[in-house]
Every structure is written in structure tokens, then in C-alpha cells.
Amino acid sequence: MLEGANLLRSLSGAWQLDREIRGAGAQLHGKATFEPGLGGIFAYRECGTLRLRDGRELSSHRRYTYRPSERGFTVAFADGPTIGNDFVRLTFDASDGERLVADDVHHCGDDLYEVRYALALPSAFEIIIDVTGPAKAYRLISSYVR
């Protein structure tokens, strides 16, 4: 398995982002970038257009930081009210065919975010997040390609 610093270097650069939000009938199309910074930390930025079920379109932006670990990385919030808090800690010690995979769970109040990263580097990766809670039930499928 690759160490986290090498995985992050493989993610470095620009990506085309397509996200399906199942259960909400929405889609996002945009761009994402991973930029190296101090101490091996990478800045993730995405921007795109979110198309809602009713056809409305909204501008969407999101930021995270990625910190390398021995066999993976930690993803932390870089915007919003929880800036600096960890979202997930991923260890890539499994594969599903030719992709490296890692799973983690994030608790946010009564909501649960089950997260899976599947890396087919250097050309593609996917993030699937299943969100459940008292007022939430949807699946985010984010596909990234170069």
C-alpha cells in the first residue's frame, strides 16, 4: 500500500467533478483542485453549479484540508462553522479490484455520514457518502476524472 504523502501527491492538480445527490434529485458539475502546502498538507477546493430537482441552479463552493498519515490521510473542514475539525480519517489497506479503498464514519449531531473513498489513481477517484438522520436520507456520489 502507498503511504499517505504519496497518495496526496497523486491527487495533486485539477479534476473534473460530477456529483449525483440521490434522494434529493440534484446534481453538481464543476472542478476540484488539490494544491500542496506547508507540512505536506493539501488544500482541496471545489466549485461548480448545483442543479436542484426543480431546475434551479446555484453556485457551489467547498474547501477541505488533507493531512497525510502512514497509510492514508485525514480530511478536515476548511470552511463553514466547523473549520479545522476532522471530517474523516482514512486508511487505505483494502482494494476492490484495481482501486484502493478506505471507509470511515462521521457523526454530526443526530446525523451519520458513512464515507468511502475509492482511488483509481492517477486518472480517477470516487467518493461516496451515505447520509442518514432524523431529517436526512441521501447518497452523494462524487466522481473525479482528469
Side-chain angles (χ1 to χ4, degrees), residues 62 77-85 108:
R62 191 72 179 156
F77 297 103
D79 60 12
T82 55
I83 245 176
N85 292 351
C108 181

Side-chain angles (χ1 to χ4, degrees), residues 88-108:
V88 289
R89 295 177 184 187
L90 299 161
T91 301
F92 291 88
D93 51 5
S95 68
D96 68 352
E98 297 193 15
R99 303 184 312 171
L100 291 173
V101 296
D103 301 290
D104 197 11
V105 174
H106 174 77
H107 297 272
C108 181

Side-chain angles (χ1 to χ4, degrees), residues 114-118 126-130 139-142:
E114 296 177 86
V115 179
R116 168 166 276 210
Y117 274 60
E126 182 177 70
I127 303 170
I128 298 173
I129 304 175
D130 289 308
R139 172 176 260 201
L140 298 165
I141 303 170
S142 301

Side-chain angles (χ1 to χ4, degrees), residues 10 15 120-124 146:
S10 295
W15 297 85
L121 298 173
S123 60
R146 295 229 194 237

Side-chain angles (χ1 to χ4, degrees), residues 1-115:
M1 295 295 149
L2 291 172
E3 66 175 31
N6 288 337
L7 287 174
L8 289 175
R9 280 192 288 277
S10 295
L11 289 169
S12 186
W15 297 85
Q16 176 65 40
L17 166 61
D18 289 299
R19 178 173 298 137
E20 179 183 356
I21 307 171
R22 291 186 184 165
Q27 297 177 341
L28 178 128
H29 301 290
K31 303 271 186 209
T33 59
F34 286 87
E35 297 177 5
L38 297 175
I41 294 174
F42 278 67
Y44 169 89
R45 290 180 179 85
E46 72 177 45
C47 62
T49 301
L50 177 65
R51 179 184 286 263
L52 303 176
R53 183 187 318 253
D54 64 9
R56 286 183 296 148
E57 292 186 350
L58 306 170
S59 179
S60 176
H61 304 274
R62 191 72 179 156
R63 296 185 313 144
Y64 293 95
T65 57
Y66 281 63
R67 295 187 316 270
S69 60
E70 185 177 333
R71 293 184 330 272
F73 45 77
T74 297
V75 182
F77 297 103
D79 60 12
T82 55
I83 245 176
N85 292 351
D86 288 349
F87 175 51
V88 289
R89 295 177 184 187
L90 299 161
T91 301
F92 291 88
D93 51 5
S95 68
D96 68 352
E98 297 193 15
R99 303 184 312 171
L100 291 173
V101 296
D103 301 290
D104 197 11
V105 174
H106 174 77
H107 297 272
C108 181
D110 292 334
D111 300 327
L112 181 68
Y113 293 71
E114 296 177 86
V115 179

